[in-house]
């Protein structure tokens, strides 16, 4: 696809529906014992690196699935629960929000709501664990925060962009990252804004195209470097392959580069440490991993590049329990699991005696085709290693399990 906001069969989804069911004060801490399927259900894995024995390597298993009557755009686990939220677009163009509860043999809707504009993206990253409020971006350019128990009206809303909000991320919530609870949005208008829910109607920081500069669609945003109360950066990816790193402390662009193809997703391996690795994926079957620990004045940040899926790489998400493992989702309906290995020496001296980063190596440990249409969204559970939820343009939401990830440490 030429844009992460369009599929081969329909336009991108708009979130709409959500009803509410009270969340127990205990946060529904889980027992996931019944989520592990018997060995007889394990599908045969595809060819992977010879370093992994066929019997010992991780395998990707579809655990539960549910067909929907709308286009899926995003899916996120509700922290500390066996629930997840699905955002999308109904056939009449309205937005759908649905909350699903995992049962032993089915996915059950517990809450749902339909809203005027379709939802494009969502995050819990700026919410406390107690409140677990969802921030969303919609096709009308509005960023809203929702109490999942009372979906009648948002607790906070702002006209963030002039058109579709393509991407959203949060920081400072869920006990991840130091500093204020903030939300970053990137839109079709080419702008990136940072929002503090305590400040009504006004962004606390903005990254806009320069005067006379072509306006490029911003497809991806992420927070990082939030290791103390002062430091924090935003990385943004654009449809022309630009990547920009915005330093919120200094209020300036710290670094920028171009990867030659549209950037569908960017993500730091962890937000709450000094910048370590930045994962970038996009069009033309490629992803890059940047080593963000060492900056060279002439060459910038060192990176490695690798092909995946033989199609657009729609998204890449790091495993929450191990920052060196991630899943990538392809336009061919497959999911790949990769592992990053650090070099023996992470920095050397260049010809001028300046520090120069050294890239590590990446190997694919398993892969599986799970849909006939692109897998457009993916989220790992923070409570159960290997548990994941993903949505695709065949209008299906699926819960999967990736086995034996603990063996990759």
């Amino acid at each position: 696809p030429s844009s992460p906001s369009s599929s081969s069969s329909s336009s991108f989804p708009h979130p709409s529906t959500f009803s509410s069911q009270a969340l127990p004060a205990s946060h529904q801490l889980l027992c996931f014992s019944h989520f592990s399927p018997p060995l007889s259900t394990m599908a045969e894995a595809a060819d992977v690196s010879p370093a992994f024995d066929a019997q010992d390597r991780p395998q990707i298993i579809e655990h539960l699935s549910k067909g929907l009557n709308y286009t899926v755009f995003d899916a996120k686990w509700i922290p500390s629960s066996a629930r997840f939220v699905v955002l999308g677009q109904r056939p009449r163009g309205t937005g759908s929000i649905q909350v699903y509860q995992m049962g032993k043999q089915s996915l059950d809707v517990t809450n749902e709501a339909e809203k005027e504009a379709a939802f494009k993206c969502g995050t819990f990253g700026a919410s406390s664990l107690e409140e677990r409020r969802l921030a969303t971006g919609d096709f009308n350019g509005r960023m809203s925060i929702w109490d999942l128990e009372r979906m009648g009206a948002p607790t906070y809303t702002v006209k963030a962009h002039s058109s579709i909000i393509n991407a959203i991320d949060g920081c400072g919530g869920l006990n991840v990252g130091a500093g204020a609870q903030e939300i970053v949005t990137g839109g079709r208008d080419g702008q990136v804004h940072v929002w503090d829910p305590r400040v009504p109607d006004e962004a606390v920081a903005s990254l806009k195209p320069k005067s006379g500069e072509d306006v490029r669609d911003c497809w991806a945003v992420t927070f990082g470097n939030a290791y103390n109360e002062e430091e924090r950066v935003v990385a943004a990816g654009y449809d022309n392959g630009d990547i920009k790193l915005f330093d919120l402390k200094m209020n300036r662009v710290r670094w920028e580069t171009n990867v030659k193809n549209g950037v569908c997703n960017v993500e730091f391996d962890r937000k709450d440490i000094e910048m370590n690795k930045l994962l970038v994926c996009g069009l033309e079957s490629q992803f890059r991993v940047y080593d963000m620990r060492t900056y060279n004045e002439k060459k910038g940040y060192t990176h490695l590049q690798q092909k995946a899926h033989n199609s657009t790489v729609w998204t890449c998400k790091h495993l929450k329990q191990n920052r060196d493992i991630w899943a990538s989702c392809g336009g061919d309906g497959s999911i790949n699991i990769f592992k990053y290995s650090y070099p023996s020496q992470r920095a050397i001296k260049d010809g001028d005696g300046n520090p120069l980063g050294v890239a590590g190596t990446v190997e694919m440990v398993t892969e599986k085709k799970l849909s006939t249409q692109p897998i457009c969204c993916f989220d790992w559970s923070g409570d159960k290693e290997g548990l994941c939820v993903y949505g695709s343009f065949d209008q299906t939401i699926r819960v999967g399990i990736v086995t034996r990830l603990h063996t990759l440490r």
Side-chain angles (χ1 to χ4, degrees):
S2 61
S3 164
S5 59
S6 59
S7 71
S8 57
S9 58
S10 66
S11 64
F12 260 114
H14 293 266
S16 76
T17 62
F18 200 94
S19 341
S20 62
Q21 179 178 21
L23 301 176
S26 63
H27 297 167
Q28 294 186 337
L29 294 177
L30 310 175
C31 173
F32 287 94
S33 59
H34 66 270
F35 297 158
S36 300
L39 293 176
S40 60
T41 67
M42 292 187 177
E44 181 178 356
D47 292 338
V48 292
S49 166
F52 293 90
D53 183 271
Q55 294 181 344
D56 295 334
R57 67 189 175 206
Q59 296 189 43
I60 304 170
I61 302 164
E62 182 182 313
H63 179 52
L64 297 169
S65 67
K66 189 176 182 68
L68 307 174
N69 60 359
Y70 61 90
T71 307
V72 180
F73 205 178
D74 204 358
K76 289 288 186 290
W77 285 102
I78 299 175
S80 300
S81 79
R83 296 182 177 195
F84 56 87
V85 179
V86 180
L87 304 174
Q89 178 182 14
R90 293 189 175 274
R92 57 180 172 267
T94 55
S96 174
I97 307 180
Q98 288 186 318
V99 175
Y100 283 87
Q101 171 76 44
M102 286 188 63
K104 289 187 177 181
Q105 298 181 344
S106 65
L107 298 174
D108 305 314
V109 177
T110 60
N111 295 325
E112 61 180 338
E114 186 172 358
K115 299 300 176 181
E116 177 184 357
F119 294 103
K120 182 70 166 57
C121 46
T123 180
F124 287 98
S127 173
S128 67
L129 277 172
E130 292 74 25
E131 293 180 325
R132 294 184 292 185
R133 292 184 175 176
L134 176 70
T136 60
D138 68 27
F139 273 44
N140 286 348
R142 186 162 290 277
M143 190 276 287
S144 303
I145 300 177
W146 305 91
D147 181 342
L148 299 186
E149 299 181 34
R150 303 170 186 85
M151 288 293 294
T155 61
Y156 175 93
T157 187
V158 64
K159 179 66 172 175
H161 295 267
S162 60
S163 59
I164 298 173
I165 297 177
N166 287 319
I168 191 169
D169 192 26
C171 192
L174 307 180
N175 299 327
V176 176
Q181 295 176 358
E182 293 179 328
I183 298 164
V184 61
T185 56
R188 180 174 287 179
D189 57 10
Q191 300 184 10
V192 175
H193 299 299
V194 178
W195 307 92
D196 186 331
R198 299 170 298 181
V199 180
D201 303 325
E202 185 177 351
V204 296
S206 295
L207 176 60
K208 302 178 181 180
K210 297 177 182 177
S211 178
E213 191 176 61
D214 290 340
V215 175
R216 307 305 310 199
D217 201 334
C218 179
W219 282 356
V221 292
T222 189
F223 278 114
N225 208 45
Y227 63 92
N228 64 28
E229 297 288 336
E230 297 180 353
E231 298 289 344
R232 187 171 289 183
V233 300
V234 167
Y238 297 81
D239 66 346
N240 65 340
D242 282 348
I243 299 173
K244 297 183 180 182
L245 187 69
F246 188 65
D247 190 321
L248 295 178
K249 178 183 177 181
M250 304 300 294
N251 197 32
R252 64 177 178 85
V253 176
R254 182 167 170 175
W255 169 73
E256 55 186 315
T257 189
N258 187 281
V259 298
K260 301 180 181 179
N261 292 292
V263 177
C264 296
N265 191 71
V266 290
E267 186 179 65
F268 287 98
D269 54 355
R270 278 177 59 182
K271 300 175 185 179
D272 57 345
I273 61 172
E274 292 187 57
M275 290 189 300
N276 187 50
K277 298 194 301 294
L278 178 66
L279 181 59
V280 178
C281 66
L283 307 181
E284 302 299 332
S285 313
Q286 294 180 349
F287 68 82
R288 288 188 179 189
V289 183
Y290 285 88
D291 186 321
M292 304 298 290
R293 281 292 169 92
T294 306
Y295 179 77
N296 184 273
E297 292 293 337
K298 292 183 177 180
K299 297 184 178 181
Y301 293 105
T302 300
H303 73 274
L304 64 85
Q305 181 170 302
Q306 189 162 315
K307 293 184 72 67
H309 300 284
N310 293 318
S311 62
T312 295
V313 185
W314 281 79
T315 189
C316 293
K317 296 295 181 181
H318 289 92
L319 181 68
K320 292 178 171 64
Q321 294 82 5
N322 185 342
R323 67 188 185 195
D324 299 327
I325 297 170
W326 68 85
S328 67
C329 302
D332 60 354
S334 67
I335 293 178
N336 294 351
I337 305 296
F338 291 93
K339 183 179 186 302
Y340 184 88
S341 298
Y342 292 97
S344 57
Q345 188 176 2
R346 292 194 64 177
I348 59 175
K349 298 291 185 180
D350 64 10
D352 298 325
N354 297 316
L356 177 66
V358 178
T361 58
V362 169
E363 55 188 333
M364 185 174 70
V365 296
T366 193
E367 65 176 344
K368 187 173 181 181
K369 187 174 177 65
L370 295 153
S371 174
T372 59
Q373 296 294 318
I375 296 176
C376 58
C377 58
F378 183 99
D379 194 34
W380 292 106
S381 168
D383 302 292
K384 176 67 175 178
E385 183 177 89
L387 186 66
C388 57
V389 60
Y390 50 96
S392 56
F393 289 137
D394 59 2
Q395 295 190 333
T396 304
I397 192 72
R398 296 175 173 89
V399 171
I401 299 170
V402 183
T403 66
R404 300 184 62 80
L405 290 175
H406 65 280
T407 65
L408 303 181
R409 288 184 170 85

